[in-house]
Amino acid sequence: MARPAEGRQPAAPMSSSQIARRVRILRAASELGAREGLASVQMHDVAKEAGVAIATLYRYFPSKPYLFMAVLEWHIEQYLGGHESGQGKGHGEGQGNGRDDLAPADVGTDAAAEVAELLITLSVKLLDSPLLASAVALSSFTEYATAVPARIDIVDSALGQAILSLLGADEASETDRSRARLLIYGWWGLFVAMLTEEISTEEAETNMRLAARLLLTP
């Protein structure tokens, strides 16, 4: 969902210490964003909170919008149980859907309902912190307005892979990938509409279930 700022590509952490440093930055930005909102968070405050040099912060996150889009992706990964800092049973941010993992849909399972429930619960989890939810939403608009080299296909993100897993698509076809892509974009639109109170939570849930049913029912 995020794109790097123009002229500056983010560094990829390689060692375990670099990965831990990146996680500290994401956690610090998340906590500051939840308390203060996007406009009030300054990059030097994030660096100070994370205990890193400002140059290190910019090395991994070239801009504040890029940083908060990474925060969104990190929270999604934690929710899905796929991020190193959020792994393990009983971790609060990985238990929103009431399952210890996301296994492929069994025969007879209603995959459309499973996917809809995953996305609905993810929205509720993210909206538990309204200021942080606003920060990541505003950052997404800023990043796409200043877009440069494209990132990976969103279907290859943790959320996209979780959806494909629920569909039992071990070897996803292009149609499977298109369905997952449309579901993620539809979910994001409904998430923003909930955040801005354009629609109620109940309306968003109904629409998400309808979208999953239309896209996934043979």
Side-chain angles (χ1 to χ4, degrees):
M1 287 176 235
R3 298 174 186 260
E6 179 135 23
R8 183 181 297 173
Q9 294 292 335
M14 304 296 292
S15 67
S16 58
S17 61
Q18 289 173 334
I19 292 171
R21 189 178 302 123
R22 185 178 187 274
V23 169
R24 289 206 311 274
I25 293 170
L26 291 169
R27 183 176 290 112
S30 179
E31 291 173 356
L32 288 169
R35 290 201 308 263
E36 302 176 17
L38 184 67
S40 298
V41 175
Q42 301 300 316
M43 292 293 270
H44 63 80
D45 293 330
V46 176
K48 181 179 179 181
E49 184 85 6
V52 302
I54 190 68
T56 299
L57 173 60
Y58 276 109
R59 179 169 175 261
Y60 293 120
F61 306 101
S63 69
K64 186 167 72 170
Y66 183 86
L67 169 60
F68 275 92
M69 286 305 294
V71 167
L72 171 62
E73 292 173 355
W74 182 59
H75 275 270
I76 290 173
E77 289 171 352
Q78 284 188 308
Y79 169 74
L80 297 173
H83 195 284
E84 287 188 46
S85 70
Q87 64 183 288
K89 297 177 183 179
H91 189 283
E93 294 188 10
Q95 302 298 312
N97 60 4
R99 295 191 301 271
D100 291 333
D101 53 40
L102 292 170
D106 294 327
V107 175
T109 297
D110 188 338
E114 287 283 331
V115 170
E117 188 62 29
L118 168 69
L119 295 171
I120 288 168
T121 309
L122 176 58
S123 293
V124 172
K125 185 66 179 176
L126 293 173
L127 288 168
D128 279 346
S129 178
L131 283 177
L132 183 59
S134 295
V136 298
L138 288 170
S139 294
S140 72
F141 303 142
T142 302
E143 282 298 281
Y144 278 108
T146 58
V148 290
R151 292 216 9 174
I152 63 170
D153 188 333
I154 197 157
V155 182
D156 295 320
S157 68
L159 183 56
Q161 292 301 299
I163 291 173
L164 290 177
S165 179
L166 284 173
L167 298 181
D170 294 330
E171 295 184 7
S173 67
E174 192 49 47
T175 297
D176 292 327
R177 293 176 63 84
S178 293
R179 287 172 174 165
R181 191 179 298 114
L182 288 168
L183 282 164
I184 294 172
Y185 288 141
W187 163 73
W188 182 251
L190 289 170
F191 172 74
V192 172
M194 291 169 65
L195 178 63
T196 57
E197 298 183 346
E198 292 181 43
I199 61 176
S200 67
T201 299
E202 292 74 17
E203 290 173 313
E205 291 179 1
T206 298
N207 289 336
M208 191 69 256
R209 291 190 176 97
L210 175 61
R213 184 72 57 195
L214 291 173
L215 284 168
L216 300 179
T217 300

